[in-house]
Amino acid sequence: MDYPRLLAAAERAARATTGQGRVADYIPALASADPESFGMAVATVDGRLYGVGDWERPFSVQSISKLFTLALALAHGGDGLWQGVGREPSGNPFNSLVQLETEHGIPRNPFINAGALVVTDRLLSLTGDAAGAVRDFLRQESGNPLLDTDAEVAASEAAHGHRNAALAHFIASHDNLHNPVEAVLEHYYAHCAIATSCRDLVLAGSFLARHGARADGSRLMSRSEAKRINSVLLTCGTYDAAGDFAYRVGLPGKSGVGGGILAIIPGRAAVCAWGPRLDRAGNSVAAVTALDTLTTLSGCSVF
Ligand code: GLU
């Protein structure tokens, strides 16, 4: 696989989307991102690392952190997690309140906000520091000791977090949180507000390409658990556009409103693309285009 050539082609295609989509501003601190930034990186399972554009520039990880909270909660606590959260696509926006009422406080999947709040709660019980566990895992796998929560973004999320607070209180009213709502929200905002780069994310996410094995060869989870996470990423990882993402890109992936998308080519590589302008579903226009280009030109997807 000629990754430098593929990345150059993906960058050209992504840059041609300039002007399409809008930078997220419902969290005010995200609105200052440079809309024309673009970066992309690949980490292969045999240790090669490639990047183009702004691939080493930090951006707000946002919902991509939900992949890591899920992985760590499963790694520490096992399958019991699935009693409190489902694994079906929601068919609703990521921050919707509607479904929770009819489904008695059990969120549809771990990647919508409601589901991520439940997973954060469980990780908090298991580790005592959910956001710290995510941050430390990202630091260890990426080898970047400076990676951390951006306090300004976390404060901005908290100040404008009425919807997440409503979700958390509603889940708590159904006894599906084990920790105080305030603590769950604090850890949720702190892991969403981690500043990281395409480089860091491909290194941290490549355990899913290695079927559950970490960079040092130790096992975070079994092969079967890694398969399951990849499956939920494929069906639920890119908001209410997971079908379109699967159609265009054909890889498991997780997006965030910071404009990043981390995708997995099982057995081969982790790929991350970033561009702050988002489409109506909340996925980065440039990142989806870049990943679409990479899998189309290489013929490499899970299908
Ligand atoms: N922290 C963001 C929120 O709760 C995450 C949204 C996202 O990236 O999907 O709204």
Side-chain angles (χ1 to χ4, degrees), residues 69 73 81 84 113-131 168 171-172 175-185 187-188 191:
T69 51
L81 177 81
N113 287 12
L117 288 163
V118 171
V119 178
T120 301
D121 172 70
R122 302 306 191 267
L123 189 59
L124 184 53
S125 296
L126 289 162
T127 63
D129 183 359
I171 297 167
D175 294 325
N176 194 14
L177 289 185
H178 303 162
N179 295 280
V181 163
E182 294 68 27
V184 174
L185 287 169
H187 282 267
Y188 173 80
H191 69 64

Side-chain angles (χ1 to χ4, degrees), residues 26-27 62-63 66 94 113 157 164 188 192 239 256-257:
Y26 76 100
I27 300 169
Q62 292 299 317
S63 275
K66 294 171 183 172
F94 66 96
N113 287 12
E157 291 210 38
N164 286 323
Y188 173 80
C192 286
Y239 303 121
V257 295

Side-chain angles (χ1 to χ4, degrees), residues 12-214:
R12 270 195 304 280
R15 298 236 185 243
T17 66
T18 297
Q20 296 175 35
R22 293 192 51 216
V23 177
D25 58 5
Y26 76 100
I27 300 169
L30 296 182
S32 57
D34 171 6
E36 309 315 335
S37 315
F38 174 78
M40 190 167 184
V42 174
T44 66
V45 292
D46 55 6
R48 284 170 294 142
L49 181 63
Y50 304 92
V52 285
D54 302 312
W55 69 294
E56 293 178 290
R57 185 154 149 200
F59 61 90
S60 194
V61 72
Q62 292 299 317
S63 275
I64 301 173
S65 61
K66 294 171 183 172
L67 180 169
F68 297 100
T69 51
L70 176 65
L72 293 172
L74 287 172
H76 284 92
D79 269 5
L81 177 81
W82 297 116
Q83 284 157 20
V85 62
R87 38 185 191 245
E88 290 292 345
S90 74
N92 277 300
F94 66 96
N95 54 5
S96 170
L97 290 147
V98 177
Q99 217 158 36
L100 261 190
E101 171 111 51
T102 51
E103 300 189 354
H104 312 292
I106 309 283
R108 268 288 172 104
N109 70 65
F111 298 141
I112 52 175
N113 287 12
L117 288 163
V118 171
V119 178
T120 301
D121 172 70
R122 302 306 191 267
L123 189 59
L124 184 53
S125 296
L126 289 162
T127 63
D129 183 359
V134 174
R135 182 202 58 219
D136 291 348
F137 182 80
L138 292 174
R139 281 184 181 172
Q140 280 160 16
E141 296 301 287
S142 68
N144 175 3
L146 301 176
L147 183 154
D148 213 343
T149 292
D150 180 326
E152 189 196 332
V153 175
S156 183
E157 291 210 38
H160 296 82
H162 303 301
R163 198 168 262 271
N164 286 323
L167 289 168
H169 280 288
F170 193 80
I171 297 167
S173 78
H174 282 278
D175 294 325
N176 194 14
L177 289 185
H178 303 162
N179 295 280
V181 163
E182 294 68 27
V184 174
L185 287 169
E186 184 188 326
H187 282 267
Y188 173 80
Y189 296 138
H191 69 64
C192 286
I194 288 173
T196 183
S197 63
C198 293
R199 175 205 171 275
D200 296 341
L201 284 172
V202 287
L203 292 170
S206 57
F207 74 93
L208 284 176
R210 277 189 242 100
H211 305 297
R214 298 177 63 156

